[in-house]
Amino acid sequence: MSIEFAVIGGTGLTEIEGLEVIHREVVHTPYGEPSGPVTHGMIEGKRIAFLARHGYTHTIPPHRVNYRANLWALKSLGVEKVVAIAAVGGITPEMQPTRLAIPDQIIDYTYGRAHTFFEDGLTHVTHIDFSHPYCAEMRTALLAAGECANLDVVPRGTYAATQGPRLETAAEIARLERDGCDLVGMTAMPEASLARELGLCYASCAVVANWAAGKDSEEITMDEIRDNLITGMANVRALLRALIC
């Protein structure tokens, strides 16, 4: 049975409720070790793969994730579609904590990350079209699943990918908003572009964990983020169940 799709879990999602685990597979890649073994499982009669982006004990910070190894491992197992879950900060008014959003654009502010497969042993220089960074087919499927599950999903948005692991300053968030960003997170890049290089149908479900710096009068705390992710990730699980059905 082929893998229906893979889920890359972000902060707050290190396992999928209701997943009947078949086995866990350690995959070695030319780009080093992935964040952990790939979990193969069944849910609602369909086979999926799961990989925790930050490791199953959540110890890998966003700037140290081996994005190339993770995507290469999934591709090597025959995966063609990927749903990436990401915890983010909300910048614009509709991106309030606990809401889900299916972003359609990215602005990359990261640096120093291994961001391409096309660098060594090439017969020619290779470019990819990245005008629309997320797979339209998977975005449509996620939006339909959100409607089916009666979830309040924001259908689009621009994701600002920052370096981390620190959170941003209020001035940086003001700049991101001037740039047209709706959400801020630390893992969209180079994950999305690497998926495109491998020909994977890749889309993201962003879970708003907190208001970004300067968007609320209160200081951002890890307790706040954790509490919002409890609700947000419950919605993600409902979305994934609807997507699988």
Side-chain angles (χ1 to χ4, degrees):
M1 179 183 293
S2 62
I3 298 173
E4 187 80 11
F5 59 85
V7 176
I8 299 177
T11 298
L13 189 71
T14 56
E15 60 182 18
I16 297 179
E17 184 179 345
L19 180 66
E20 178 188 348
V21 176
I22 300 172
H23 66 99
R24 293 183 172 88
E25 182 172 2
V26 175
V27 182
H28 301 290
T29 87
Y31 304 96
E33 298 305 304
S35 296
V38 177
T39 299
H40 295 261
M42 298 289 295
I43 188 167
E44 301 293 341
K46 296 183 179 180
R47 182 170 175 177
I48 70 167
F50 178 78
L51 179 62
R53 184 188 290 113
H54 299 285
Y56 291 94
T57 55
H58 200 264
T59 54
I60 306 172
H63 66 295
R64 298 297 297 273
V65 172
N66 192 337
Y67 296 95
R68 292 196 298 184
N70 287 350
L71 273 298
W72 194 95
L74 295 176
K75 177 72 173 183
S76 73
L77 296 175
V79 169
E80 296 181 354
K81 300 177 181 179
V82 177
V83 177
I85 310 302
V88 300
I91 298 176
T92 48
E94 64 181 348
M95 301 300 184
Q96 54 194 277
T98 74
R99 288 194 82 176
L100 304 186
I102 311 300
D104 62 334
Q105 280 295 330
I106 301 171
I107 300 180
D108 187 8
Y109 300 92
T110 66
Y111 51 87
R113 302 182 182 191
H115 65 278
T116 182
F117 294 106
F118 300 133
E119 56 185 5
D120 296 316
L122 302 178
T123 58
H124 60 280
V125 175
T126 303
H127 303 284
I128 59 167
D129 175 23
F130 205 52
S131 303
H132 303 284
Y134 296 109
C135 174
E137 176 187 348
M138 185 54 74
R139 286 192 73 254
T140 298
L142 286 169
L143 291 171
E147 184 175 350
C148 180
N150 294 314
L151 295 171
D152 184 19
V153 178
V154 183
R156 64 186 58 83
T158 296
Y159 183 128
T162 59
Q163 180 70 0
R166 69 168 176 84
L167 300 180
E168 300 73 30
T169 69
E172 287 170 331
I173 293 301
R175 173 204 175 192
L176 298 183
E177 187 167 17
R178 290 193 298 271
D179 286 351
C181 299
D182 302 288
L183 304 160
V184 59
M186 302 173 188
T187 59
M189 291 294 291
E191 194 172 86
S193 59
L194 291 169
R196 179 63 55 86
E197 287 186 353
L198 291 175
L200 295 169
C201 180
Y202 171 100
S204 176
C205 174
V207 187
V208 183
N210 57 278
W211 286 115
K215 290 298 170 181
D216 188 39
S217 59
E218 301 297 326
E219 179 182 353
I220 300 170
T221 68
M222 295 304 105
D223 287 343
E224 172 196 3
I225 290 173
R226 183 179 60 251
D227 290 346
N228 287 332
L229 283 179
I230 291 173
T231 299
M233 288 304 169
N235 291 335
V236 166
R237 293 182 178 96
L239 181 79
L240 291 175
R241 286 194 297 270
L243 179 65
I244 290 164
C245 293

